Amino acid sequence: MLTLILALLMPVSLYAADSTQAWDKAAFLSWVGKYPSVYKNGKKGGFLYQPAIQTALHRLLSPADRAALASYDVEDKIEQQGDFLVVHQCMPHNCPAAFAMVVIDLNKPRLWVGFFERQDNRVSTRWFGNVDDYSILPASIKNEFTGYLPESM
């Protein structure tokens, strides 16, 4: 009976350990002022490819949204705004029409991904968060996201 209980609790304990111990503020802060992507031997890696962030992104985004985020190859350097890190990415040769913002909470295993896309006569703004709605983000971050929107909006 004890073996059964331990077997049932093991995935929960692995998730809890993964979501708290891997959220390394010092490691995240080491990326401030650097570009989020690094290419090594022709393979893309870097800030968003750290295990804790990858796990959160895989739980949060659909495969299509993960592919879209990975395809946004034009990047700004990672910036710190208070207790948050902000990553800006956009589609090459299409930055005003297709971009994303990833926001990482430095203190808790929380992140948000905002997408903006314009195609033909359609405009889409979508936010995903793994714990809280994007509305809890500081106004400066939300305003920065809308500041990337074309002025005609």
Side-chain angles (χ1 to χ4, degrees):
M1 180 65 157
L2 181 59
T3 305
L4 177 63
I5 292 171
L6 290 175
L8 292 174
L9 290 177
M10 195 164 86
V12 174
S13 65
L14 288 175
Y15 172 75
D18 178 42
S19 65
T20 56
Q21 291 177 352
W23 210 254
D24 186 350
K25 181 177 182 175
F28 294 162
L29 284 170
S30 72
W31 284 88
V32 173
K34 299 177 183 173
Y35 288 100
S37 292
V38 176
Y39 292 88
K40 192 171 189 178
N41 298 327
K43 187 172 181 179
K44 187 176 182 179
F47 180 71
L48 296 178
Y49 291 84
Q50 294 180 69
I53 296 173
Q54 274 293 293
T55 299
L57 288 173
H58 274 78
R59 290 180 179 148
L60 180 64
L61 300 175
S62 70
D65 286 328
R66 287 193 311 269
L69 185 62
S71 72
Y72 291 2
D73 287 334
V74 178
E75 304 171 324
D76 287 337
K77 292 179 180 177
I78 296 172
E79 61 184 52
Q80 181 178 0
Q81 292 190 25
D83 290 330
F84 301 93
L85 296 185
V86 181
V87 177
H88 299 281
Q89 297 178 279
C90 65
M91 184 67 68
H93 309 291
N94 201 15
C95 285
F99 64 86
M101 175 187 275
V102 179
V103 181
I104 307 287
D105 187 326
L106 288 168
N107 298 314
K108 301 176 189 173
R110 302 187 302 176
L111 65 80
W112 297 264
V113 180
F115 287 101
F116 173 82
E117 188 174 336
R118 177 191 305 272
Q119 291 181 345
D120 302 321
N121 294 324
R122 181 182 71 86
V123 174
S124 171
T125 302
R126 301 176 294 134
W127 277 96
F128 299 91
N130 68 336
V131 177
D132 296 306
D133 185 78
Y134 80 98
S135 64
I136 70 146
L137 291 172
S140 62
I141 292 175
K142 292 184 286 190
N143 290 339
E144 192 171 329
F145 181 80
T146 57
Y148 278 86
L149 299 178
E151 294 206 17
S152 62
M153 299 221 25

